[in-house]
């Protein structure tokens, strides 16, 4: 991992979770990846690196909440990624 | 002139103070997010919890709730500690 940030706990008292910690914790879990274009990709996160390059399995593409494509395995280049989200809740509730 | 001034606050220290609290992230383009800041790195990639995402479109404002996200710092424009978008 390329994360070089040195974080200290803030006065809020919450546990600090850096981007690097987040990356380690979500491997193998279902995620939603949102690109800068607004398109969502949902699937199982297989592998990723510190540049947010992502390999996903069982990948589904959603545009404005509508399923458009299924890709199985997909590689997403990190520069396109807006965020990576864990999906305890279904996204359809809010979208 | 501000070198070696012990009261100078680094930008990263301002963000650091927000850990554990709500933060309002205004992105480039018509997108904003509000969530609890869990951590960040030197690129200001951020881990946020209990996130509300606001997207402003021609059809109005779309709200999405997200549990925990890693937000790419590349398109972050403004961070407002403790703030939130006006309820238009």
């Amino acid at each position: 991992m390329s994360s070089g940030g040195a974080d200290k706990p803030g006065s809020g008292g919450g546990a600090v979770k850096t981007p690097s910690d987040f990356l380690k914790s979500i491997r193998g879990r279902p995620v939603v990846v949102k690109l800068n274009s607004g398109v969502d990709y949902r699937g199982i996160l297989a592998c990723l690196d510190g540049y947010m390059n992502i390999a996903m399995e069982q990948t589904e593409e959603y545009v404005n909440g509508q399923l458009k494509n299924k890709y199985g395995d997909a590689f997403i280049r990190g520069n396109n990624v807006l965020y990576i989200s864990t999906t305890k809740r279904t996204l359809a509730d809010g979208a | 002139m501000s070198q070696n001034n012990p009261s100078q606050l680094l930008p990263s220290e301002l963000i650091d103070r927000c850990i554990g609290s709500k933060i309002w992230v205004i992105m480039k383009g018509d997108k904003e997010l509000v969530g609890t800041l869990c951590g960040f790195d030197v690129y200001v990639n951020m881990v946020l919890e209990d996130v509300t995402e606001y997207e402003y479109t021609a059809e109005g404002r779309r709200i999405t709730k997200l549990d925990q996200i890693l937000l790419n710092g590349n398109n972050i424009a403004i961070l407002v500690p403790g703030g939130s978008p006006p309820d238009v």
Side-chain angles (χ1 to χ4, degrees), chain A residues 12-46:
Chain A
V16 177
K17 186 169 189 179
T18 66
S20 176
D21 299 328
F22 183 89
L23 295 185
K24 291 167 190 160
S25 72
I26 61 172
R27 196 178 300 254
R29 289 180 56 185
V31 294
V32 178
V33 177
K34 186 159 200 157
L35 303 194
N36 294 321
S37 62
V39 179
D40 289 321
Y41 291 87
R42 304 184 196 178
I44 308 296
L45 190 138

Side-chain angles (χ1 to χ4, degrees), chain A residues 52-64:
Chain A
M52 290 196 212
N53 295 321
I54 294 163
M56 284 175 76
E57 298 167 351
Q58 303 171 42
T59 310
E60 297 173 339
E61 179 187 48
Y62 288 81
V63 182
N64 294 320

Side-chain angles (χ1 to χ4, degrees), chain B residues 7-47:
Chain B
S7 67
Q8 181 188 19
L9 186 68
L10 291 175
S12 59
E13 288 167 341
L14 175 60
I15 309 174
D16 201 48
R17 291 182 179 187
C18 300
I19 291 179
S21 304
K22 284 280 191 211
I23 193 164
W24 176 16
V25 183
I26 302 171
M27 312 291 291
K28 301 176 186 175
D30 299 310
K31 188 187 290 291
E32 299 170 7
L33 303 97
V34 177
T36 302
L37 178 63
C38 299
F40 65 100
D41 65 12
V42 289
Y43 305 105
V44 195
N45 298 318
M46 301 164 74
V47 179

Side-chain angles (χ1 to χ4, degrees), chain B residues 71-87:
Chain B
L71 177 67
N72 194 327
N74 190 52
N75 292 296
I76 292 175
I78 300 174
L79 302 177
V80 184
S84 64
D87 290 323

Side-chain angles (χ1 to χ4, degrees), chain A residues 3 5 7-8 12 16-19 22-23 34 36 52 64 78 81-86 88-89 91 94, chain B residues 16 19 27 31 38-42 45 47 53 55 62-72 75:
Chain A
S3 172
D7 296 280
K8 309 178 294 290
V16 177
K17 186 169 189 179
T18 66
F22 183 89
L23 295 185
K34 186 159 200 157
N36 294 321
M52 290 196 212
N64 294 320
V81 173
L82 173 64
Y83 62 66
I84 305 165
S85 170
T86 56
K88 233 188 292 178
R89 276 168 272 172
L91 211 65
Chain B
D16 201 48
I19 291 179
M27 312 291 291
K31 188 187 290 291
C38 299
F40 65 100
D41 65 12
V42 289
N45 298 318
V47 179
E53 177 190 14
E55 295 172 87
R62 188 192 330 184
I63 293 175
T64 307
K65 299 284 187 176
L66 301 159
D67 190 46
Q68 191 172 65
I69 70 169
L70 169 53
L71 177 67
N72 194 327
N75 292 296

